[in-house]
Amino acid sequence: MANVELKYSHVVSQSDPNDKTVVIIGQLHALTSLPFELVKPKLEPRVDAEGFKAAVRCLHPSPTDACSLWFNNATVAVLPLKSSRHNCPARSHSITKLVKTCLTGVGDENVVLVCQRSNVYASGCAVARAFPLFTRKSGSAKLSPRTVTVEFILVGDDKDKPLTESEMSTLESSAASIRLAQRIVDTPCNEMNTDDFITEIHQVQEKLKSIGKNVKTTIIRGEELNKKGFGGIYGVGKAAINPPALAVLSYTPDNATQTISWVGKGIVYDTGGLSIKGKTTMPGMKRDCGGAAAILGAFQAAVQQGFQENLHAVLCLAENSVGPIATRPDDIHVMYSGRSVEINNTDAEGRLVLADGVSYASKDLKSDIIVDMATLTGAQGISTGKIHGAILTNREEWELACVKAGKNSGDLVFPLVYCPEIHFNEFASAVADMKNSVSDRGNAQSSCAGLFIGAHIGFDFPGVWLHIDMASPVHSGERATGYGVALLLSLFGRAFDTPLLQSVSPLGNTDDEEIMENASKKMKLV
């Protein structure tokens, strides 16, 4: 999979299944009513109209199904019949699975997506998730590079409004950033420590510079963190060989009217510290940098696509390691916010680094909107499941907007309870402003973890604060999903002049509810 180049096309090209494997994917009603003339370029001379229609009649989705059209080289696959109000209408998770299942992995291949225009973005991003980049399998270097081309056939009311090259460029940029996030998350800590992550940051900066985008970086690391008061990031990462860091990418275009900060948890490996994890729970903790990886990917795509507001990617990087100077339970750290934290669980480290990150975004960057993203709690998977991330925010309209952005992008989310007056006393400490872990793990644990972060900008913060916990959807099985990239690009779609991203943004669309319009006014992007 690492040797796959992914391309998107707004036209259906001519190809022979004997030369290029093809899978045609759509919902049953779309495939049933699809004129053969539209798929004919991908199937002839191997498959005729009668053969295609017969195969479609054989499809019985439960929840998905596939039927061979010509050996393993041509397949038609059907998506689930139902999509509830908390699911993605594009059935994006099924698209990813079908692409993995139906393509042979040999030579150049085609994916043809039969969908409504409103589902193009989520469907295109779903294909990208099927092709993670990282591998260290010994035979992978011997494989020839291959290209997978994704093409679209539109159905529904907007079928006569053709897709454009610009929209395909937007999809290619999003897909590349999803795969960047996947690669960082899949890479083990011996190849992706804090130094390596900073190298990735500089590479993104150079890539954007090469297309004329002026992006600045600020990196504070090691003992400098301690001197400048970043007690959270420094305390978590000080025992590791590679020092912790606060790394900031900043893009400040002309005529920007507001400042947005995306803050990511970048724990490149989490042993749990002295509150060490067990032998069954520690494997997979290379994924604890999933929030920072997604934000780096989303920042790259956002700047490439002409983000129109001040945008900062604030990446809180550390390895939560064990050593002679590791933070101990009972230690007290003074955070960048000035508030003191008594450590009662060194395995509750993500909230410590993010607390410094959001505080920096508020105090130094003067952000109007702060979004933090993290693989924060194991309880997230219990609260909202393995597919839906969890969100916590001080603004109801942003809660609704984020849920809709999730459905539009395929990165699904669902709200947590926001009630600091009830839940924040879980962190009560006799000797500090707060502890870092709750007293009752059975009391809205994921909500409480998010509130800890929010406390360091204050619950009276006048701007928008949104917390995204994506501990479970960051991976599917043993591979990263690139979760979070498409969600952020969709949520902030109104900050682009790119039609495809504007069309999937829940903020400011005329067909959305009044509360969405209120959110967009507060965002100043309408």
Side-chain angles (χ1 to χ4, degrees), residues 9 28 87 131 168 177 186 197 209 213 229 327-328 512:
S9 175
L28 187 60
N87 197 3
F131 299 99
M168 296 300 98
S177 291
D186 276 339
F197 207 119
K209 182 180 178 180
K213 303 294 185 179
T327 292
R328 298 163 290 258
D512 288 327

Side-chain angles (χ1 to χ4, degrees), residues 17-267:
N18 188 56
D19 303 320
K20 283 188 178 182
T21 302
V22 61
V23 57
I24 301 166
I25 301 174
Q27 296 177 35
L28 187 60
H29 66 86
L31 294 173
T32 302
S33 60
L34 185 68
F36 181 71
E37 291 299 314
L38 296 181
V39 293
K40 178 179 176 180
K42 312 305 298 184
L43 298 176
E44 284 198 338
R46 312 300 168 181
V47 182
D48 59 16
E50 184 179 345
F52 178 75
K53 291 179 180 178
V56 171
R57 286 195 297 269
C58 291
L59 295 172
H60 298 286
S62 58
T64 62
D65 194 14
C67 183
S68 173
L69 294 167
W70 190 70
F71 302 107
N72 290 327
N73 286 38
T75 306
V76 59
V78 65
L79 296 168
L81 292 173
K82 296 181 180 180
S83 176
S84 70
R85 62 192 176 92
H86 291 150
N87 197 3
C88 173
R91 286 81 162 163
S92 55
H93 290 84
S94 294
I95 292 174
T96 304
K97 292 177 182 177
L98 286 171
V99 170
K100 289 181 177 180
T101 301
C102 296
L103 291 183
T104 62
V106 178
D108 293 344
E109 299 181 296
N110 286 113
V111 176
V112 178
L113 298 171
V114 183
C115 64
Q116 296 180 353
R117 173 175 271 276
S118 60
N119 292 338
V120 164
Y121 187 71
S123 300
C125 290
V127 175
R129 299 184 188 105
F131 299 99
L133 289 166
F134 180 80
T135 181
R136 288 294 178 264
K137 291 193 174 185
S138 57
S140 61
K142 301 175 184 177
L143 298 176
S144 300
R146 61 192 184 96
T147 300
V148 174
T149 303
V150 184
E151 300 170 347
F152 295 88
I153 296 175
L154 297 181
V155 297
D157 295 338
D158 293 328
K159 65 181 179 181
D160 295 326
K161 184 181 177 183
L163 295 168
T164 65
E165 289 186 17
S166 172
E167 289 171 311
M168 296 300 98
S169 176
T170 298
L171 264 177
E172 287 192 358
S173 175
S174 299
S177 291
I178 288 169
R179 298 176 80 198
L180 168 64
Q182 284 179 302
R183 179 173 59 77
I184 292 173
V185 172
D186 276 339
T187 305
C189 189
N190 63 319
E191 297 182 42
M192 190 57 67
N193 56 47
T194 55
D195 291 345
D196 297 314
F197 207 119
I198 289 172
T199 298
E200 296 284 346
I201 291 168
H202 287 310
Q203 288 175 350
V204 167
Q205 181 188 22
E206 288 302 312
K207 181 175 182 178
L208 295 173
K209 182 180 178 180
S210 70
I211 59 172
K213 303 294 185 179
N214 184 22
V215 173
K216 297 181 179 179
T217 58
T218 302
I219 297 176
I220 306 169
R221 65 180 325 198
E223 289 301 321
E224 187 182 2
L225 286 168
N226 192 31
K227 292 176 182 177
K228 291 188 173 181
F230 292 93
I233 301 175
Y234 179 76
V236 170
K238 64 181 179 177
I241 294 174
N242 303 99
L246 179 76
V248 184
L249 292 126
S250 298
Y251 177 64
T252 54
D254 296 335
N255 302 318
T257 61
Q258 62 182 328
T259 299
I260 299 163
S261 286
W262 296 341
V263 184
K265 174 187 173 183
I267 302 298

Side-chain angles (χ1 to χ4, degrees), residues 294-329:
I295 282 174
L296 181 61
F299 180 88
Q300 173 181 271
V303 176
Q304 282 178 327
Q305 294 299 315
F307 202 80
Q308 296 173 333
E309 303 292 345
N310 296 326
L311 181 63
H312 303 281
V314 182
L315 308 177
C316 308
L317 308 177
E319 179 183 347
N320 189 20
S321 191
V322 175
I325 62 169
T327 292
R328 298 163 290 258

